[in-house]
Structure formats: structure tokens, C-alpha cells
Amino acid sequence: MKKIIFTLCILASFILGFAFKAVSEKSSDNLKRVTGIGGIFFKCKDPKMMREWYRDHLGLNTNEYGAVFEWYQGADNSKKGFSQWSPFSEKTKYFQPSEKDFMINYRVADLEKLVEQLKKENVTIIDKIETYEYGKFVHIMDIEGNKIELWEPNDTVYEKLGQSMGSKTTK
């Protein structure tokens, strides 16, 4: 009898877990938010020397903007994905209004839909969505004043742009 009750409890927990997951997914409209790291940007005294140091000592394939990491997407491992690594001058104003020395770029699946949801959640949206051939961008602030860049990438165009510049990715 104890085995049957124990088995029924496990089965009930399993079913309730699936039910909770289904309800919670419907409540957020299956909105994908961040899907990966799009880039890491940081301030330094001499970006050129920093790129050279990382190239010489850590093997990054650097260019005038930093380095691009190439990888394959987990959701569809036939598609390439890219993440940017960029040292900026310590005097850059690009990270403002944040006073931090870094900024992280997150890859997202549907920027317009995500921005609408973030507005409903009272997240500070710094600017309007900007669209380029290689993707869409917007900046937000987190609760500690870190500026965050959200990027809905067009990886195919991004790769072609890098190739046209003669840049090599770090794999």
C-alpha cells in the first residue's frame, strides 16, 4: 500500500510539473528573451594595444573592432552564431548613461516583442530600436545602472560583412 501511495505521489508531482510548465509558458506567450551573449565591451587605456595583447597572448583573431567568436547555435546547430569582443577607449561615451567600464550585448530572438514586454515591466529603455543589415539594436538599463545592448542578429549578413572586411573569426 505504501508503494502505491508513493508511486501515486510521484506521478501526481510529475503531472503537476507539466501542467505548471504549460501554464507558465502560456502566460508569457512563449516570448524568448535572451538567447545568448552577443558581445562583451569594455573600456581600456589603449584599445589597439589591448587587441594586440589578446591576439599575441590568447590567440584572438583581432581586427580594428576587436574579435568575433564564431560558434554554432544550440537550437539549430546548422546555423552559425557570432559574439563580438571589443575594447573601447576609456573616454568613450558609448556606455553612457552608465558609468561602468563594461557593457554586455545580449542576443535576442524578437527585439520588437521583447521591448514591448520590457516596457510593460517598467524596464528603462534608453533609445529607439535601430535597424542595420546585420541586425536590430536597442539599449536598456538594469537596476544597478549597467547599460545593456540587446541585439536581434542577422548572422548571415554579419558573417558576410566580416568576410568583406577580410576579418577572421576566432573559433
Side-chain angles (χ1 to χ4, degrees):
M1 184 68 170
K2 286 183 182 181
K3 282 185 179 182
I4 293 174
I5 292 173
F6 180 74
T7 304
L8 289 174
C9 286
I10 299 248
L11 183 60
S13 297
F14 188 71
I15 291 169
L16 287 172
F18 271 111
F20 178 76
K21 183 178 180 193
V23 168
S24 65
E25 285 178 355
K26 285 182 183 177
S27 67
S28 67
D29 289 335
N30 292 330
L31 175 64
K32 283 189 175 182
R33 295 192 183 224
V34 170
T35 62
I37 300 292
I40 299 173
F41 312 133
F42 61 96
K43 295 179 184 180
C44 61
K45 293 183 188 308
D46 188 334
K48 183 177 185 282
M49 284 184 61
M50 188 66 77
R51 291 189 303 267
E52 290 171 358
W53 188 92
Y54 275 83
R55 180 196 64 215
D56 295 344
H57 299 287
L58 296 181
L60 271 61
N61 288 320
T62 59
N63 59 40
E64 64 183 296
Y65 301 105
V68 175
F69 291 89
E70 178 182 321
W71 43 270
Y72 286 88
Q73 298 185 30
D76 181 352
N77 64 12
S78 68
K79 290 183 181 177
K80 286 184 184 177
F82 300 93
S83 297
Q84 179 71 38
W85 172 90
S86 296
F88 281 74
S89 165
E90 66 185 343
K91 296 177 183 174
T92 187
K93 298 194 183 311
Y94 189 60
F95 297 5
Q96 289 182 352
S98 175
E99 296 191 20
K100 306 292 175 87
D101 290 336
F102 68 92
M103 182 173 64
I104 297 177
N105 168 301
Y106 292 103
R107 295 169 60 95
V108 301
D110 185 338
L111 191 58
E112 284 91 2
K113 191 182 260 188
L114 178 56
V115 167
E116 288 306 312
Q117 183 62 36
L118 293 174
K119 285 178 182 177
K120 292 175 187 173
E121 297 168 1
N122 296 315
V123 172
T124 301
I125 312 292
I126 298 173
D127 47 21
K128 293 180 182 177
I129 294 173
E130 291 192 31
T131 302
Y132 301 91
E133 288 183 82
Y134 54 91
K136 299 175 186 175
F137 297 85
V138 75
H139 297 94
I140 64 172
M141 295 293 280
D142 73 12
I143 60 172
E144 289 197 2
N146 298 302
K147 185 176 180 182
I148 297 168
E149 187 171 69
L150 300 176
W151 174 35
E152 181 183 328
N154 181 333
D155 288 310
T156 303
V157 172
Y158 189 78
E159 180 177 31
K160 288 178 184 174
L161 179 64
Q163 289 169 344
S164 72
M165 294 171 36
S167 296
K168 293 183 179 181
T169 58
T170 300
K171 298 178 187 177

